[in-house]
Amino acid sequence: MAILKIARMGHPVLSQIAKTVDDPTAPEIRRLVSDMLETMVDSDGAGLAAPQVHVPLRVVVFQAPADRDDRLGESADYTAPLTVLINPEIEVIGETRESGWEGCLSVPGLRGLVERSAHIRYLGFDHEGHRIERIAKGFHARVVQHECDHLDGVLYPQRMSDLKKLIFESEAHHWLPRED
Ligand code: NI
């Protein structure tokens, strides 16, 4: 296990299309996943994509904790356990879109308001070769779309329609609901 160095916006690895993983159960993928999980937890991130640790492969890890928004309760669609997703595919369900604040370990210190699909289905495999298929809403849908964007070389500021809402974290209290 190792904590990996995170690529920051401007590094070419963040702009390229990541490659499909031939064998999700290969030992080198298991090692990569283990290091990505350790790096994500160490950085206090909600998700991490392999290109962010300089590995251009279609691997993401994420979690969507229940306490992100109390109004959403414990519904499975809104929350996800710590998940490893290899070769993911996303299918949008319905036309509803929602705006939410995002941050990214590759864009440190900033937050941005990003509109994304509110309701998706996603598919992929974990590192034991099990097929994953889930419906996701809210923050869960957002984090999956954000991480999968990394696999196509897209960072969240490139999804923003109003760059006035790209702000420093230290100014977020002007925008975000207060957490008591
Ligand atoms: Ni990110």
Side-chain angles (χ1 to χ4, degrees), residues 47-49 52 103-107 146-147 150 154-156:
L48 189 67
Q52 291 184 275
C104 181
L105 296 173
S106 295
V107 191
H146 175 119
E147 297 314 327
H150 279 296
V154 175
L155 299 177
Y156 79 78

Side-chain angles (χ1 to χ4, degrees), residues 117-173:
S117 297
H119 194 185
I120 62 169
R121 171 184 289 110
Y122 63 89
L123 314 159
F125 292 88
D126 70 12
H127 55 300
E128 290 172 340
H130 300 126
R131 186 177 162 81
I132 293 173
E133 177 173 352
R134 291 190 192 139
I135 300 287
K137 296 176 183 170
F139 180 78
H140 182 183
R142 178 169 300 280
V143 72
V144 172
Q145 290 171 85
H146 175 119
E147 297 314 327
C148 290
D149 262 357
H150 279 296
L151 306 182
D152 294 325
V154 175
L155 299 177
Y156 79 78
Q158 295 153 21
R159 292 283 187 203
M160 292 180 63
S161 53
D162 180 2
L163 288 176
K164 282 185 180 170
K165 296 186 178 134
L166 183 62
I167 65 171
F168 284 103
E169 265 164 14
S170 56
E171 305 303 322
H173 61 278

Side-chain angles (χ1 to χ4, degrees), residues 56-69:
L57 290 175
R58 301 188 84 78
V59 178
V60 302
V61 297
F62 59 87
Q63 55 190 334
D67 59 9
R68 281 273 166 182
D69 189 337

Side-chain angles (χ1 to χ4, degrees), residues 64-66 69-81 135-137 140:
D69 189 337
D70 290 340
R71 289 170 304 163
L72 301 177
E74 300 282 332
S75 162
D77 289 355
Y78 292 101
T79 67
I135 300 287
K137 296 176 183 170
H140 182 183

Side-chain angles (χ1 to χ4, degrees), residues 1 21-38 57-62 81-88 123-132 134:
M1 299 261 286
V21 174
D22 290 333
D23 177 6
T25 65
E28 62 269 24
I29 298 300
R30 182 174 295 267
R31 204 170 313 123
L32 170 66
V33 162
S34 159
D35 289 346
M36 284 175 64
L37 291 170
E38 190 177 3
L57 290 175
R58 301 188 84 78
V59 178
V60 302
V61 297
F62 59 87
L82 193 52
T83 298
V84 174
L85 195 60
I86 298 170
N87 299 336
L123 314 159
F125 292 88
D126 70 12
H127 55 300
E128 290 172 340
H130 300 126
R131 186 177 162 81
I132 293 173
R134 291 190 192 139

